[in-house]
Amino acid sequence: MTSPFRNTLLFAEFFQDISLTELAARARTMGLTALDLSIRSDGNIQSEAVETDLPRAAEILAAEGVRIGKITTDLKDAADPLTRRILQTAQALGIRHYQTGCWIYRDFGSLRALRNEVRARLLDLAALNAELGLTGLIQNHSCEQFGANLPDLDFVLDGIDPAHLGIYYDPAHAAIEGGGLGWLMNLDLISDHIAALGVKDFRWVNGNHRHCGGERLQSAEFCPLGAGNTPWREILPLVQNLAPEIPVIFFGEYRDENCFDLLSAEAALDQTARDVQIFRGWIGAG
């Protein structure tokens, strides 16, 4: 039987203070096959420079035996000329997966209207993706981002082929929002839409100084894989049976203010390497 989850990527946005050459070399030592480059204002590449800078990055990485497997963007409007410029550049380079921008839930009473707005936008993006042969991905990011509540993503993606636009499923964010077994019920609901998998972990800590704090007594702190509250050992068998060929992105938020510690590039890469080994151990153990 073919081993699942062979298409493994490292999210590169956290490592802009080291060269792509060095980052590619470190990814290879972890056994990762590709990078996920961000194309946005605070990302690896500025959106307006995509036609020159993305091919240059692909060339640098190819020299190290690493490809660009996914791009992370702020794209939300298929009619925006910049959307087509970015996606056509990615297509020409053989990049087939991209992450959309996010929509923000702001006011009580606005969710139904936001659902309808997002669905209309995603239908247009899915049509463009079908034309270009790309797969768009929308993440289930917790707290204020639309999609934190996974049934909302089931609604907006109804009838859309996941080969054109699907869910970048992030179990840590699903567990933050999913409580006891809410994550399982939600996974049941959106299982046909999964098109990528994000790997990270979190734990609840006292104080509202971390992610999703607000007025709570506790908040979510990102932590090493396997040291948190994400039920990975229950989730992985389900996801690998549903979609064993999807891209798997290692996205440990080790250089973020909501992490257990603000790590250097070297320390974050070392921790990611440990995460990769833990993840592969879980897969190997079935």
Side-chain angles (χ1 to χ4, degrees):
M1 181 177 177
T2 303
S3 175
F5 300 148
R6 294 170 299 163
N7 184 11
T8 51
L9 294 76
L10 173 65
F11 184 61
E13 186 174 273
F14 293 134
F15 302 103
Q16 294 179 54
D17 52 341
I18 64 176
S19 71
L20 284 178
T21 298
E22 181 180 353
L23 186 59
R26 286 300 306 270
R28 284 179 56 214
T29 65
M30 299 179 205
L32 304 183
T33 58
L35 296 187
D36 174 356
L37 293 189
S38 59
I39 302 178
R40 50 191 182 187
S41 60
D42 58 349
N44 299 104
I45 293 171
Q46 299 294 299
S47 299
E48 292 289 347
V50 66
E51 286 103 340
T52 57
D53 289 2
L54 189 59
R56 185 179 300 122
E59 184 178 352
I60 292 169
L61 294 172
E64 299 298 320
V66 173
R67 63 187 175 85
I68 302 172
K70 172 181 172 289
I71 56 174
T72 297
T73 76
D74 286 327
L75 302 181
K76 298 191 290 183
D77 184 359
D80 185 340
L82 184 59
T83 297
R84 186 173 283 272
R85 284 172 54 197
I86 291 173
L87 296 186
Q88 286 182 328
T89 303
Q91 178 204 42
L93 294 168
I95 302 166
R96 293 291 174 258
H97 291 84
Y98 77 94
Q99 187 171 332
T100 70
C102 63
W103 288 264
I104 303 299
Y105 169 74
R106 300 190 185 281
D107 301 306
F108 184 81
S110 67
L111 185 56
R112 292 186 190 278
L114 183 58
R115 273 181 157 207
N116 292 331
E117 175 193 345
V118 174
R119 177 163 172 79
R121 295 285 191 178
L122 293 183
L123 283 168
D124 289 342
L125 283 172
L128 178 58
N129 296 340
E131 174 191 333
L132 297 176
L134 303 180
T135 300
L137 304 165
I138 181 168
Q139 184 187 17
N140 60 300
H141 197 292
S142 56
C143 291
E144 75 277 7
Q145 291 192 22
F146 181 85
N149 179 42
L150 277 158
D152 291 333
L153 292 186
D154 180 60
F155 173 84
V156 298
L157 293 171
D158 184 44
I160 296 177
D161 188 336
H164 302 151
L165 206 153
I167 294 174
Y168 173 18
Y169 181 60
D170 190 312
H173 285 295
I176 288 171
E177 297 289 350
L181 279 183
W183 64 266
L184 181 60
M185 298 175 195
N186 288 336
L187 179 57
D188 190 332
L189 192 65
I190 57 92
S191 59
D192 291 342
H193 302 295
I194 295 175
L197 177 68
V199 180
K200 66 166 72 77
D201 210 340
F202 85 98
R203 59 195 172 207
W204 295 107
V205 294
N206 289 331
N208 62 0
H209 57 297
R210 298 298 195 204
H211 184 58
C212 292
E215 297 300 317
R216 297 177 178 86
L217 296 178
Q218 293 185 319
S219 50
E221 175 182 88
F222 296 107
C223 65
L225 190 65
N229 293 74
T230 310
W232 274 107
R233 290 180 179 272
E234 297 172 84
I235 287 171
L236 274 178
L238 296 171
V239 176
Q240 73 180 52
N241 285 334
L242 292 166
E245 301 299 323
I246 58 175
V248 175
I249 301 95
F250 285 87
F251 195 102
E253 303 202 29
Y254 300 128
R255 310 198 73 192
D256 181 89
E257 62 183 3
N258 292 310
C259 178
F260 72 96
D261 194 7
L262 199 58
L263 302 183
S264 67
E266 185 68 21
L269 287 167
D270 287 344
Q271 181 58 60
T272 301
R274 289 190 285 271
D275 291 351
V276 171
Q277 291 304 310
I278 289 170
F279 183 87
R280 286 183 174 148
W282 289 337
I283 297 299

